[in-house]
Amino acid sequence: MKSDLIFLTTATTRGELHNQTIGLFYKTFESQLKLFNLTHIVNIDLPIKLRGKFTINETRELLNQIIPNYVKKIFIIKNDENPSFTKAYKNVIRALYDNNLYKDNCFIWWLEDDWKLISRFNFIPLLKLVEDSTPFAMSLTDNAPLCSF
């Protein structure tokens, strides 16, 4: 039986950058990711400094194309006049529970919308190793201040 792997992302309207980040992630690990039941919850905000560059609808459509069809997608769009990371974080966590996705044996992965993949490290054996163990947390980063993994 496949385990559930749930990606949580707080995104802003970044245009083609999402192809270089989230898109590359899915393309690189496609065969490994298909070993799981996948859900991707994405909160999309439009910060003041990005208004007039990309729209929320453009971003949603781009992410809908980037995230493969075998992944259940949940997009959260609140059109908040004063968006913040904290509000977006709360939105994705709330969606996780509202959609009854949180279970004792699921994996939850925080996937940043602007972190670029710099290594092809196969993380699946790590998940399989702890699949039936007690709850744990894991983060794959390299030079974390640069926000890349």
Side-chain angles (χ1 to χ4, degrees):
M1 187 167 116
K2 290 183 177 181
S3 295
D4 295 333
L5 176 56
I6 304 155
F7 295 106
L8 304 178
T9 299
T10 58
T12 59
T13 53
R14 298 179 190 270
E16 287 299 313
L17 177 67
H18 289 131
N19 271 321
Q20 301 168 32
T21 58
I22 294 171
L24 180 61
F25 176 82
Y26 275 109
K27 285 177 187 168
T28 302
F29 295 113
E30 181 176 18
S31 62
Q32 294 97 326
L33 291 172
K34 285 185 174 182
L35 299 173
F36 297 89
N37 296 314
L38 300 172
T39 302
H40 198 148
I41 302 172
V42 184
N43 185 93
I44 304 172
D45 280 327
L46 179 59
I48 293 169
K49 66 182 179 179
L50 293 177
R51 291 180 186 166
K53 296 181 189 236
F54 307 103
T55 68
I56 287 177
N57 287 334
E58 288 170 330
T59 301
R60 181 174 193 235
E61 284 307 310
L62 179 64
L63 288 169
N64 200 35
Q65 292 170 15
I66 290 170
I67 300 170
N69 290 332
Y70 59 85
V71 179
K72 177 183 177 185
K73 302 166 204 167
I74 300 171
F75 293 104
I76 304 164
I77 300 170
K78 299 284 187 181
N79 291 315
D80 194 325
E81 280 300 313
N82 295 301
S84 71
F85 174 78
T86 302
K87 291 177 189 176
Y89 175 83
K90 288 179 181 180
N91 289 339
V92 294
I93 297 297
R94 188 176 305 113
L96 176 71
Y97 285 97
D98 288 350
N99 288 279
N100 297 314
L101 295 170
Y102 181 79
K103 300 173 188 136
D104 286 342
N105 60 347
C106 72
F107 296 103
I108 300 170
W109 184 304
W110 188 264
L111 187 60
E112 291 284 347
D113 76 324
D114 61 348
W115 285 16
K116 291 185 179 182
L117 182 65
I118 59 174
S119 174
R120 304 258 191 280
F121 177 77
N122 183 358
F123 58 89
I124 299 302
L126 289 174
L127 295 181
K128 293 294 184 187
L129 183 66
V130 296
E131 194 166 30
D132 296 321
S133 67
T134 59
F136 75 102
M138 175 176 72
S139 179
L140 302 176
T141 62
D142 182 76
N143 296 324
L146 299 177
C147 298
S148 294
F149 68 95

